[in-house]
Amino acid sequence: MILIPGTRRAGKGIVPSHLASWAAVGLVLVAQALVSAQAPSAAPGSAPDVYSNTVRYARGQSVQPVFEGWSRNPDGSFDMWFGYLNRNYEERLNVRVGSDNGFNGEDMGQPEFFEPRRQQFAFKINVPSTFPKDRDLVWTVKANGVTLRAYGSLWPVWEIDQHTISANRGSRTAVDFDEPPNEAPRVVDAPQGATTEVGKALTLAVSIADDGNPKPRADRGARVAGIKRPPTAPDELPLNQSLRVSWIQWRGPGIAVFDPRVVRVAEGRATTKVTFDKPGVYVLRGFAEDASIHTPFDVRVTVVAPTNQNEYASAQLK
């Protein structure tokens, strides 16, 4: 949910958010009644005809593209942020750029791999200061036979800033009274133009610069990042493990596997390994994260078939 106060877009007009909320509740109740009265029961072992948000679907469901909002840049241009909801709990969908995944079929840097569930503020599209206020950027995604769209615009109600992003991403939204503002981490150095073979682990080392905020708190940063405290660490040692790098596959013909996928930044660097199951050109997206704010960056990797063809055949069978 985007935390934007005030109003919501509704057709060609604008309605107060509290009225929109009550209207939405009414529509949900009516829809549930209609579904209960009209929808036939699914046969045992088959997928239901009507999607239910009370059922955890492992696969076979759609992807809802999401417009998160727009933010201002110092040069007068704007960033339009997008994310998505993959309604599957297990299925990672690969939808190539084109008529089934594009902005009017165009490549605007959107992902081709869709991780399960909600991915917020996954990428942004920069538009000039002259971008028409009444024009929409429409992202279309067709997955598992269902076509859905997100409509991005520069309507004032959709303006966001770093605080909005931080609040929506949901960790460390409150600060101490004497704590300075937390700035997004900067990617100082990341591998570019890397080449590796199928089945061989490629080391990804990234240098990150940070302002040191929020101040380290014992254990708190580890809980936020989902990383356990090392058993040998003394209790009084503050662990700023909220500063980390997270990896996902953005594009590519095969599957990229990270080990680990989330890496703590230690002495300004975060290192992980990645392997690939097929040759081709891949794009990996990293997120330099500090509590609830992040800086996305991409790494392009060319994967070639191994010189040992037996190794390649073995990798294909896995």
Side-chain angles (χ1 to χ4, degrees):
M1 181 181 70
I2 304 301
L3 300 182
I4 301 176
T7 57
R8 297 179 182 175
R9 185 173 181 179
K12 295 184 178 179
I14 293 181
V15 297
S17 60
H18 64 283
L19 295 180
S21 298
W22 281 111
V25 171
L27 289 173
V28 168
L29 293 176
V30 171
Q32 288 178 341
L34 290 174
V35 168
S36 299
Q38 300 176 10
S41 299
S46 65
D49 294 330
V50 179
Y51 177 85
S52 171
N53 60 6
T54 62
V55 177
R56 293 170 64 100
Y57 295 92
R59 57 191 67 255
Q61 300 304 310
S62 61
V63 172
Q64 174 63 64
V66 177
F67 175 57
E68 313 279 13
W70 61 268
S71 57
R72 301 175 185 269
N73 294 316
D75 62 1
S77 65
F78 305 99
D79 287 332
M80 302 180 74
W81 286 88
F82 290 84
Y84 61 86
L85 169 64
N86 177 356
R87 290 188 168 90
N88 302 287
Y89 277 80
E90 296 179 8
E91 185 177 10
R92 296 171 73 240
L93 290 160
N94 183 1
V95 185
R96 305 302 295 270
V97 168
S99 59
D100 289 346
N101 178 14
F103 292 79
N104 294 328
E106 296 184 15
D107 187 346
M108 303 288 282
Q110 66 270 23
E112 291 184 340
F113 270 81
F114 295 87
E115 299 291 333
R117 309 307 296 159
R118 185 74 163 95
Q119 304 295 324
Q120 293 180 303
F121 301 92
F123 68 101
K124 61 185 177 181
I125 298 174
N126 182 261
V127 298
S129 59
T130 56
F131 188 86
K133 300 298 189 292
D134 59 351
R135 177 184 169 188
D136 288 338
L137 277 182
V138 184
W139 184 21
T140 300
V141 177
K142 182 179 180 180
N144 282 325
V146 179
T147 300
L148 297 170
R149 295 177 176 84
Y151 296 82
S153 71
L154 293 179
W155 283 37
V157 71
W158 289 107
E159 183 174 8
I160 61 174
D161 57 18
Q162 191 65 260
H163 299 291
T164 314
I165 297 175
S166 176
N168 276 272
R169 298 190 78 240
S171 66
R172 196 68 187 273
T173 56
V175 297
D176 294 336
F177 288 109
D178 59 346
E179 191 170 79
N182 182 21
E183 299 295 333
R186 292 183 295 107
V187 179
V188 178
D189 182 50
Q192 295 297 327
T195 301
T196 188
E197 295 183 4
V198 169
K200 284 193 175 181
L202 172 67
T203 299
L204 300 174
V206 183
S207 297
I208 303 294
D210 186 59
D211 60 2
N213 297 315
K215 300 302 180 185
R217 295 177 181 176
D219 284 335
R220 179 178 176 85
R223 289 200 305 273
V224 170
I227 305 174
K228 295 182 179 180
R229 168 188 287 276
T232 57
D235 292 338
E236 66 275 7
L237 178 65
L239 296 177
N240 189 18
Q241 293 191 355
S242 64
L243 184 60
R244 61 203 185 276
V245 174
S246 302
W247 292 95
I248 62 173
Q249 181 177 348
W250 203 249
R251 296 184 179 184
I255 301 297
V257 177
F258 300 96
D259 183 24
R261 191 184 69 82
V262 181
V263 191
R264 177 191 177 186
V265 176
E267 298 182 353
R269 289 180 68 81
T271 303
T272 191
K273 294 182 182 295
V274 59
T275 56
F276 305 88
D277 67 341
K278 292 181 181 179
V281 177
Y282 292 75
V283 177
L284 311 177
R285 171 143 298 190
F287 296 91
E289 301 182 271
D290 185 7
S292 55
I293 61 177
H294 70 315
T295 302
F297 64 97
D298 290 340
V299 173
R300 188 181 181 91
V301 180
T302 299
V303 180
V304 299
T307 52
N308 187 325
Q309 292 302 314
N310 291 331
E311 291 181 3
Y312 179 59
S314 176
Q316 293 295 96
L317 292 174
K318 291 182 180 180

